[in-house]
Amino acid sequence: MLNDTRPVNLERRQHLLSVARRVFAERGFTATTMDDVARAAGFTKPILYQYFNSKTELYREIVAQTAARLLSQLEAAVETTTSPRERIEVAFRVYFETVVSEPDAFRILFIHAHEGETASELRNLELGLVSFIEPYITVEISDDHRRQLAAGVVGIAEGTALAWLVQSRHDSSTHVEEAARLAARAATLAWGGLRAVTQD
């Protein structure tokens, strides 16, 4: 893989990632070839291979970027709030704002990320989100119970996002409103459940 950090190479690398994200989202990992990505990007396959050694490496770079960006935005957002409930509600809002503004990236994660050698990528993101949510569940319960509840909250977010990705036409003009609507619905369900939790 090319490690040159000159601006022209960084720009080309990001262009290839952007195009690959769209192609993977449309066709899935298995059906997409490096020829498909190179053709869509307007380059030859040898040029694509200068930047990425394989289709799997290219795919994992897209997933890693998406996951890192989401977790960074979540961490920054919760710093502006104080109570656990506010933090969970803000986290839902940021999560869905990211989903509706980057549907291709999340289509890859939630619809196509269960295929063969790439299946672990979604699991890694889910584990990161569970670890992020755990500290904000402040009920006096065991660590195992808290982690299971955090996984349930993540499941609500993922399931809601998946339904939206399948059902929506992704009208960019409604991103803010749609994200707020999805976040409110998911937060109401999650917080209603967490309020009922008692110590084992």
Side-chain angles (χ1 to χ4, degrees), residues 20-33 36-37 55 59 107-108 111-113 115 118:
R21 186 181 301 116
R22 174 171 50 81
V23 176
F24 279 131
E26 291 172 354
R27 304 182 186 183
F29 175 80
T30 301
T32 298
T33 67
D36 294 331
V37 176
K55 182 174 73 167
Y59 179 94
R107 184 173 292 278
I108 290 171
I111 297 176
H112 299 304
E115 304 171 356
T118 64

mmCIF file of all heavy atoms in Angstrom, residues 20-33 36-37 55 59 107-108 111-113 115 118:
data_model
loop_
_atom_site.group_PDB
_atom_site.id
_atom_site.type_symbol
_atom_site.label_atom_id
_atom_site.label_comp_id
_atom_site.label_asym_id
_atom_site.label_seq_id
_atom_site.Cartn_x
_atom_site.Cartn_y
_atom_site.Cartn_z
ATOM 1 N N ALA A 20 -15.376 3.908 -3.429
ATOM 2 C CA ALA A 20 -15.542 2.528 -2.976
ATOM 3 C C ALA A 20 -16.706 2.406 -1.998
ATOM 4 O O ALA A 20 -17.458 1.422 -2.032
ATOM 5 C CB ALA A 20 -14.255 2.035 -2.320
ATOM 6 N N ARG A 21 -16.885 3.400 -1.147
ATOM 7 C CA ARG A 21 -18.009 3.387 -0.201
ATOM 8 C C ARG A 21 -19.334 3.316 -0.946
ATOM 9 O O ARG A 21 -20.220 2.536 -0.592
ATOM 10 C CB ARG A 21 -17.950 4.650 0.668
ATOM 11 C CG ARG A 21 -18.974 4.678 1.790
ATOM 12 C CD ARG A 21 -18.868 5.977 2.580
ATOM 13 N NE ARG A 21 -17.550 6.142 3.159
ATOM 14 C CZ ARG A 21 -16.707 7.112 2.850
ATOM 15 N NH1 ARG A 21 -17.049 8.020 1.944
ATOM 16 N NH2 ARG A 21 -15.529 7.188 3.426
ATOM 17 N N ARG A 22 -19.454 4.103 -2.000
ATOM 18 C CA ARG A 22 -20.691 4.093 -2.782
ATOM 19 C C ARG A 22 -20.889 2.767 -3.503
ATOM 20 O O ARG A 22 -21.997 2.211 -3.511
ATOM 21 C CB ARG A 22 -20.656 5.251 -3.792
ATOM 22 C CG ARG A 22 -21.830 5.265 -4.770
ATOM 23 C CD ARG A 22 -21.837 6.543 -5.590
ATOM 24 N NE ARG A 22 -20.562 6.841 -6.197
ATOM 25 C CZ ARG A 22 -20.112 6.283 -7.320
ATOM 26 N NH1 ARG A 22 -20.853 5.368 -7.938
ATOM 27 N NH2 ARG A 22 -18.938 6.632 -7.825
ATOM 28 N N VAL A 23 -19.820 2.222 -4.085
ATOM 29 C CA VAL A 23 -19.935 0.963 -4.830
ATOM 30 C C VAL A 23 -20.254 -0.199 -3.890
ATOM 31 O O VAL A 23 -21.125 -1.031 -4.178
ATOM 32 C CB VAL A 23 -18.637 0.686 -5.627
ATOM 33 C CG1 VAL A 23 -18.718 -0.673 -6.327
ATOM 34 C CG2 VAL A 23 -18.404 1.784 -6.651
ATOM 35 N N PHE A 24 -19.565 -0.269 -2.758
ATOM 36 C CA PHE A 24 -19.847 -1.322 -1.781
ATOM 37 C C PHE A 24 -21.289 -1.222 -1.275
ATOM 38 O O PHE A 24 -21.960 -2.230 -1.069
ATOM 39 C CB PHE A 24 -18.891 -1.229 -0.592
ATOM 40 C CG PHE A 24 -17.533 -1.832 -0.824
ATOM 41 C CD1 PHE A 24 -16.383 -1.122 -0.514
ATOM 42 C CD2 PHE A 24 -17.399 -3.115 -1.334
ATOM 43 C CE1 PHE A 24 -15.129 -1.674 -0.712
ATOM 44 C CE2 PHE A 24 -16.143 -3.684 -1.528
ATOM 45 C CZ PHE A 24 -15.004 -2.961 -1.224
ATOM 46 N N ALA A 25 -21.762 0.005 -1.049
ATOM 47 C CA ALA A 25 -23.119 0.197 -0.550
ATOM 48 C C ALA A 25 -24.155 -0.295 -1.552
ATOM 49 O O ALA A 25 -25.197 -0.839 -1.173
ATOM 50 C CB ALA A 25 -23.365 1.671 -0.227
ATOM 51 N N GLU A 26 -23.877 -0.107 -2.830
ATOM 52 C CA GLU A 26 -24.814 -0.531 -3.872
ATOM 53 C C GLU A 26 -24.789 -2.035 -4.114
ATOM 54 O O GLU A 26 -25.833 -2.659 -4.308
ATOM 55 C CB GLU A 26 -24.477 0.190 -5.183
ATOM 56 C CG GLU A 26 -24.755 1.684 -5.168
ATOM 57 C CD GLU A 26 -24.233 2.382 -6.418
ATOM 58 O OE1 GLU A 26 -23.554 1.699 -7.239
ATOM 59 O OE2 GLU A 26 -24.483 3.588 -6.565
ATOM 60 N N ARG A 27 -23.597 -2.638 -4.078
ATOM 61 C CA ARG A 27 -23.457 -4.025 -4.521
ATOM 62 C C ARG A 27 -23.129 -5.018 -3.416
ATOM 63 O O ARG A 27 -23.282 -6.228 -3.602
ATOM 64 C CB ARG A 27 -22.360 -4.109 -5.592
ATOM 65 C CG ARG A 27 -22.600 -3.186 -6.779
ATOM 66 C CD ARG A 27 -21.516 -3.345 -7.820
ATOM 67 N NE ARG A 27 -21.672 -2.355 -8.883
ATOM 68 C CZ ARG A 27 -20.894 -2.288 -9.954
ATOM 69 N NH1 ARG A 27 -19.914 -3.151 -10.103
ATOM 70 N NH2 ARG A 27 -21.090 -1.361 -10.877
ATOM 71 N N GLY A 28 -22.631 -4.529 -2.282
ATOM 72 C CA GLY A 28 -22.175 -5.431 -1.237
ATOM 73 C C GLY A 28 -20.724 -5.819 -1.439
ATOM 74 O O GLY A 28 -20.156 -5.638 -2.526
ATOM 75 N N PHE A 29 -20.119 -6.365 -0.397
ATOM 76 C CA PHE A 29 -18.697 -6.702 -0.455
ATOM 77 C C PHE A 29 -18.416 -7.817 -1.450
ATOM 78 O O PHE A 29 -17.528 -7.716 -2.293
ATOM 79 C CB PHE A 29 -18.214 -7.123 0.941
ATOM 80 C CG PHE A 29 -16.788 -7.600 0.966
ATOM 81 C CD1 PHE A 29 -15.750 -6.690 0.986
ATOM 82 C CD2 PHE A 29 -16.496 -8.955 0.961
ATOM 83 C CE1 PHE A 29 -14.428 -7.121 0.997
ATOM 84 C CE2 PHE A 29 -15.175 -9.399 0.977
ATOM 85 C CZ PHE A 29 -14.144 -8.475 0.996
ATOM 86 N N THR A 30 -19.186 -8.891 -1.367
ATOM 87 C CA THR A 30 -18.910 -10.067 -2.191
ATOM 88 C C THR A 30 -19.025 -9.773 -3.676
ATOM 89 O O THR A 30 -18.186 -10.205 -4.486
ATOM 90 C CB THR A 30 -19.851 -11.222 -1.810
ATOM 91 O OG1 THR A 30 -19.674 -11.533 -0.420
ATOM 92 C CG2 THR A 30 -19.570 -12.460 -2.630
ATOM 93 N N ALA A 31 -20.052 -9.026 -4.076
ATOM 94 C CA ALA A 31 -20.305 -8.784 -5.498
ATOM 95 C C ALA A 31 -19.399 -7.709 -6.092
ATOM 96 O O ALA A 31 -19.272 -7.610 -7.314
ATOM 97 C CB ALA A 31 -21.764 -8.396 -5.708
ATOM 98 N N THR A 32 -18.760 -6.918 -5.255
ATOM 99 C CA THR A 32 -17.910 -5.833 -5.746
ATOM 100 C C THR A 32 -16.506 -6.345 -6.036
ATOM 101 O O THR A 32 -15.949 -7.127 -5.272
ATOM 102 C CB THR A 32 -17.833 -4.701 -4.706
ATOM 103 O OG1 THR A 32 -19.142 -4.161 -4.505
ATOM 104 C CG2 THR A 32 -16.913 -3.585 -5.180
ATOM 105 N N THR A 33 -15.929 -5.896 -7.143
ATOM 106 C CA THR A 33 -14.547 -6.236 -7.478
ATOM 107 C C THR A 33 -13.688 -4.975 -7.465
ATOM 108 O O THR A 33 -14.209 -3.851 -7.521
ATOM 109 C CB THR A 33 -14.462 -6.882 -8.872
ATOM 110 O OG1 THR A 33 -14.808 -5.890 -9.864
ATOM 111 C CG2 THR A 33 -15.402 -8.074 -8.998
ATOM 112 N N ASP A 36 -14.411 -2.947 -10.423
ATOM 113 C CA ASP A 36 -15.592 -2.090 -10.285
ATOM 114 C C ASP A 36 -15.220 -0.753 -9.642
ATOM 115 O O ASP A 36 -15.646 0.311 -10.097
ATOM 116 C CB ASP A 36 -16.656 -2.781 -9.417
ATOM 117 C CG ASP A 36 -17.233 -4.021 -10.057
ATOM 118 O OD1 ASP A 36 -17.275 -4.087 -11.302
ATOM 119 O OD2 ASP A 36 -17.660 -4.928 -9.305
ATOM 120 N N VAL A 37 -14.441 -0.827 -8.562
ATOM 121 C CA VAL A 37 -14.061 0.389 -7.838
ATOM 122 C C VAL A 37 -13.170 1.268 -8.701
ATOM 123 O O VAL A 37 -13.376 2.481 -8.795
ATOM 124 C CB VAL A 37 -13.351 0.036 -6.514
ATOM 125 C CG1 VAL A 37 -12.865 1.305 -5.818
ATOM 126 C CG2 VAL A 37 -14.289 -0.747 -5.601
ATOM 127 N N LYS A 55 -9.166 -5.939 -1.808
ATOM 128 C CA LYS A 55 -10.541 -5.472 -1.601
ATOM 129 C C LYS A 55 -10.869 -5.457 -0.112
ATOM 130 O O LYS A 55 -11.536 -4.531 0.384
ATOM 131 C CB LYS A 55 -11.515 -6.373 -2.362
ATOM 132 C CG LYS A 55 -12.970 -5.934 -2.245
ATOM 133 C CD LYS A 55 -13.882 -6.777 -3.125
ATOM 134 C CE LYS A 55 -14.088 -8.162 -2.587
ATOM 135 N NZ LYS A 55 -15.202 -8.876 -3.262
ATOM 136 N N TYR A 59 -12.124 -2.267 2.058
ATOM 137 C CA TYR A 59 -13.385 -2.340 2.799
ATOM 138 C C TYR A 59 -13.168 -2.014 4.275
ATOM 139 O O TYR A 59 -13.917 -1.230 4.874
ATOM 140 C CB TYR A 59 -13.969 -3.740 2.632
ATOM 141 C CG TYR A 59 -15.267 -3.963 3.363
ATOM 142 C CD1 TYR A 59 -16.496 -3.776 2.731
ATOM 143 C CD2 TYR A 59 -15.286 -4.376 4.684
ATOM 144 C CE1 TYR A 59 -17.682 -3.987 3.397
ATOM 145 C CE2 TYR A 59 -16.469 -4.598 5.361
ATOM 146 C CZ TYR A 59 -17.668 -4.402 4.714
ATOM 147 O OH TYR A 59 -18.841 -4.617 5.387
ATOM 148 N N ARG A 107 -25.045 1.667 5.302
ATOM 149 C CA ARG A 107 -25.575 0.545 4.526
ATOM 150 C C ARG A 107 -24.524 -0.564 4.451
ATOM 151 O O ARG A 107 -24.843 -1.745 4.542
ATOM 152 C CB ARG A 107 -25.966 1.009 3.118
ATOM 153 C CG ARG A 107 -26.620 -0.071 2.264
ATOM 154 C CD ARG A 107 -27.128 0.517 0.971
ATOM 155 N NE ARG A 107 -28.241 1.420 1.210
ATOM 156 C CZ ARG A 107 -29.502 1.021 1.373
ATOM 157 N NH1 ARG A 107 -29.793 -0.256 1.311
ATOM 158 N NH2 ARG A 107 -30.446 1.902 1.581
ATOM 159 N N ILE A 108 -23.277 -0.177 4.285
ATOM 160 C CA ILE A 108 -22.182 -1.148 4.296
ATOM 161 C C ILE A 108 -22.131 -1.871 5.638
ATOM 162 O O ILE A 108 -22.032 -3.096 5.712
ATOM 163 C CB ILE A 108 -20.838 -0.449 4.011
ATOM 164 C CG1 ILE A 108 -20.780 0.015 2.546
ATOM 165 C CG2 ILE A 108 -19.660 -1.374 4.319
ATOM 166 C CD1 ILE A 108 -19.599 0.901 2.236
ATOM 167 N N ILE A 111 -26.056 -3.620 6.431
ATOM 168 C CA ILE A 111 -26.685 -4.503 5.441
ATOM 169 C C ILE A 111 -25.676 -5.454 4.811
ATOM 170 O O ILE A 111 -25.960 -6.635 4.630
ATOM 171 C CB ILE A 111 -27.409 -3.677 4.355
ATOM 172 C CG1 ILE A 111 -28.537 -2.866 5.000
ATOM 173 C CG2 ILE A 111 -27.961 -4.585 3.254
ATOM 174 C CD1 ILE A 111 -29.271 -1.940 4.052
ATOM 175 N N HIS A 112 -24.469 -4.944 4.533
ATOM 176 C CA HIS A 112 -23.498 -5.772 3.820
ATOM 177 C C HIS A 112 -22.354 -6.278 4.695
ATOM 178 O O HIS A 112 -21.502 -7.004 4.200
ATOM 179 C CB HIS A 112 -22.897 -4.987 2.654
ATOM 180 C CG HIS A 112 -23.908 -4.557 1.641
ATOM 181 N ND1 HIS A 112 -24.746 -5.446 1.006
ATOM 182 C CD2 HIS A 112 -24.228 -3.334 1.155
ATOM 183 C CE1 HIS A 112 -25.526 -4.788 0.162
ATOM 184 N NE2 HIS A 112 -25.239 -3.508 0.239
ATOM 185 N N ALA A 113 -22.306 -5.912 5.976
ATOM 186 C CA ALA A 113 -21.139 -6.245 6.793
ATOM 187 C C ALA A 113 -21.211 -7.629 7.427
ATOM 188 O O ALA A 113 -20.462 -7.932 8.329
ATOM 189 C CB ALA A 113 -20.944 -5.197 7.883
ATOM 190 N N GLU A 115 -20.918 -10.446 5.621
ATOM 191 C CA GLU A 115 -20.492 -11.341 4.562
ATOM 192 C C GLU A 115 -19.069 -11.844 4.783
ATOM 193 O O GLU A 115 -18.118 -11.088 4.735
ATOM 194 C CB GLU A 115 -20.579 -10.627 3.204
ATOM 195 C CG GLU A 115 -21.967 -10.077 2.905
ATOM 196 C CD GLU A 115 -21.990 -9.195 1.660
ATOM 197 O OE1 GLU A 115 -20.915 -8.957 1.085
ATOM 198 O OE2 GLU A 115 -23.078 -8.758 1.286
ATOM 199 N N THR A 118 -15.537 -10.250 6.295
ATOM 200 C CA THR A 118 -15.766 -8.891 6.790
ATOM 201 C C THR A 118 -16.756 -8.850 7.952
ATOM 202 O O THR A 118 -17.041 -7.782 8.479
ATOM 203 C CB THR A 118 -16.302 -7.988 5.663
ATOM 204 O OG1 THR A 118 -17.586 -8.484 5.251
ATOM 205 C CG2 THR A 118 -15.358 -7.982 4.479
#
